[in-house]
Amino acid sequence: MRSLEEMAAECISELNAIGIKTGDVSFTVNTRAKKRWGQCRALGGGRYEISISYRLLADGSEELPAKNTIIHELLHAADGCRSGHRGRWLQLAADVMRAYPEYDIKRCTSAEEKGITDDNAEVKRLEYRYFFRCLGCGTEARYKRATKFTKNPNAYVCVKCRGKFVDSELYSLLSPEQRSLLETAMKAAAPRPLTKSLLKQVLDK
Ligand SMILES: [Zn+2]
Ligand SMILES: [Zn+2]
C-alpha cells in the first residue's frame, strides 16, 4: 500500500506554498467504508482527522486520484469544516486548481473517474443485503431490506419463468441437476417455506 503519510505531507506543503493553512491534521486509512473516498472530521481546538479509503492507496495505483481526495479533505480542514462544498471550500478548490492544474478537486468523484471500475459495481451491490436467484432461469432478485419476499421467497414465483427463488449463495453451490430437483421440491411445498430437512434431502442427492 502507498504511504498515506507521505502523500499527505506533499499535499500539505503544496497547499502551504499557496497560502492555504490546514490546521493540525492527522491521517488514518479507512479500510471499511466502500462508499466514501475520504472524510474530514473536526475534533475541536483546530484539530482534524482525515480518513482516506484504502482503495485509493493500492500498490501500483495512480497517485493523482489519491492526492485529489487528500486535498479535497484538507480543504475541509482549511475551512474548519464549515462551508461543506460551497463558499470558501469551493473558492479554495479553485485556487488549488489554478496553482496546480494537474489537480481536479471535485465535490464528489465516481469510481470510474478514480480508475476503480470493478469496485464501483461492488459499491452498488453493497447497498443490497438480500440476494436470490431463480432456479429456473437464473434471474437475480435483490433487496435492500427485509420484505415479505425475503422472509418467504417460496410464496412467490419468477415473473419470467414461474421458477422458484433461492438464496444466491445456495444457488451458486448447486449443480444443474440439484437446481431442478430443488425447484420441484419447492413447488410442491409452496407457498410454505422449504424445510431444512427437505433441502438436505435434495442436496444429498
Ligand atoms: Zn467533501
Ligand atoms: Zn426464472
Side-chain angles (χ1 to χ4, degrees), residues 134-139 158-165 183:
C134 169
L135 288 164
C137 68
T139 293
C158 169
V159 288
K160 285 188 192 158
C161 76
R162 311 207 50 83
K164 287 295 179 184
F165 284 92
E183 182 157 44

Side-chain angles (χ1 to χ4, degrees), residues 146-161:
T147 64
K148 282 183 183 169
F149 179 93
T150 65
K151 283 171 193 154
N152 180 19
N154 208 26
Y156 300 83
V157 291
C158 169
V159 288
K160 285 188 192 158
C161 76

Side-chain angles (χ1 to χ4, degrees), residues 97-169:
M97 290 188 279
R98 204 174 309 113
Y100 305 107
E102 69 271 29
Y103 288 130
D104 186 11
I105 312 300
K106 291 184 184 169
R107 288 183 298 158
C108 51
T109 309
S110 72
E112 276 114 310
E113 286 173 278
K114 293 285 192 198
I116 304 180
T117 35
D118 285 348
D119 273 14
N120 194 34
E122 196 192 327
V123 168
K124 281 212 180 103
R125 226 183 139 75
L126 278 168
E127 293 169 20
Y128 294 89
R129 291 185 54 203
Y130 302 92
F131 299 90
F132 296 87
R133 264 191 203 284
C134 169
L135 288 164
C137 68
T139 293
E140 189 178 57
R142 318 187 278 186
Y143 295 86
K144 292 182 182 176
R145 50 189 69 84
T147 64
K148 282 183 183 169
F149 179 93
T150 65
K151 283 171 193 154
N152 180 19
N154 208 26
Y156 300 83
V157 291
C158 169
V159 288
K160 285 188 192 158
C161 76
R162 311 207 50 83
K164 287 295 179 184
F165 284 92
V166 292
D167 187 272
S168 287
E169 214 167 302

Side-chain angles (χ1 to χ4, degrees), residues 3 13 20-21 25 30 61 79 103 122 141 173 190 197 199 204:
S3 163
S13 67
I20 299 174
K21 300 265 184 296
V25 184
N30 187 338
S61 62
D79 161 56
Y103 288 130
E122 196 192 327
L173 299 173
S197 61
L199 176 63
D204 286 345

Side-chain angles (χ1 to χ4, degrees), residues 15-201:
L15 294 183
N16 289 344
I18 56 171
I20 299 174
K21 300 265 184 296
T22 55
D24 180 3
V25 184
S26 60
F27 286 86
T28 60
V29 177
N30 187 338
T31 53
R32 286 163 303 150
K34 301 248 175 180
K35 291 188 190 176
R36 203 188 277 136
W37 300 116
Q39 190 181 28
C40 181
R41 288 198 311 138
L43 302 176
R47 292 182 308 121
Y48 300 89
E49 183 189 68
I50 289 176
S51 64
I52 299 293
S53 169
Y54 71 99
R55 295 188 297 148
L56 290 172
L57 303 171
D59 284 324
S61 62
E62 279 186 73
E63 198 173 82
L64 206 50
K67 289 180 85 179
N68 278 326
T69 294
I70 293 168
I71 291 177
H72 173 123
E73 302 307 334
L74 282 169
L75 296 182
H76 283 309
D79 161 56
C81 288
R82 270 192 286 267
S83 59
H85 299 122
R86 299 156 178 259
R88 185 162 148 72
W89 183 92
L90 205 56
Q91 181 61 52
L92 291 172
D95 291 347
V96 170
M97 290 188 279
R98 204 174 309 113
Y100 305 107
E102 69 271 29
Y103 288 130
D104 186 11
I105 312 300
K106 291 184 184 169
R107 288 183 298 158
C108 51
T109 309
S110 72
E112 276 114 310
E113 286 173 278
K114 293 285 192 198
I116 304 180
T117 35
D118 285 348
D119 273 14
N120 194 34
E122 196 192 327
V123 168
K124 281 212 180 103
R125 226 183 139 75
L126 278 168
E127 293 169 20
Y128 294 89
R129 291 185 54 203
Y130 302 92
F131 299 90
F132 296 87
R133 264 191 203 284
C134 169
L135 288 164
C137 68
T139 293
E140 189 178 57
R142 318 187 278 186
Y143 295 86
K144 292 182 182 176
R145 50 189 69 84
T147 64
K148 282 183 183 169
F149 179 93
T150 65
K151 283 171 193 154
N152 180 19
N154 208 26
Y156 300 83
V157 291
C158 169
V159 288
K160 285 188 192 158
C161 76
R162 311 207 50 83
K164 287 295 179 184
F165 284 92
V166 292
D167 187 272
S168 287
E169 214 167 302
L170 172 61
Y171 179 94
S172 68
L173 299 173
L174 299 174
S175 68
E177 196 196 359
Q178 286 175 317
R179 282 173 198 163
S180 86
L181 282 171
L182 185 55
E183 182 157 44
T184 307
M186 289 181 76
K187 279 181 174 162
R192 284 174 296 115
L194 187 72
T195 60
K196 283 211 173 100
S197 61
L198 200 51
L199 176 63
K200 193 173 177 307
Q201 268 178 41

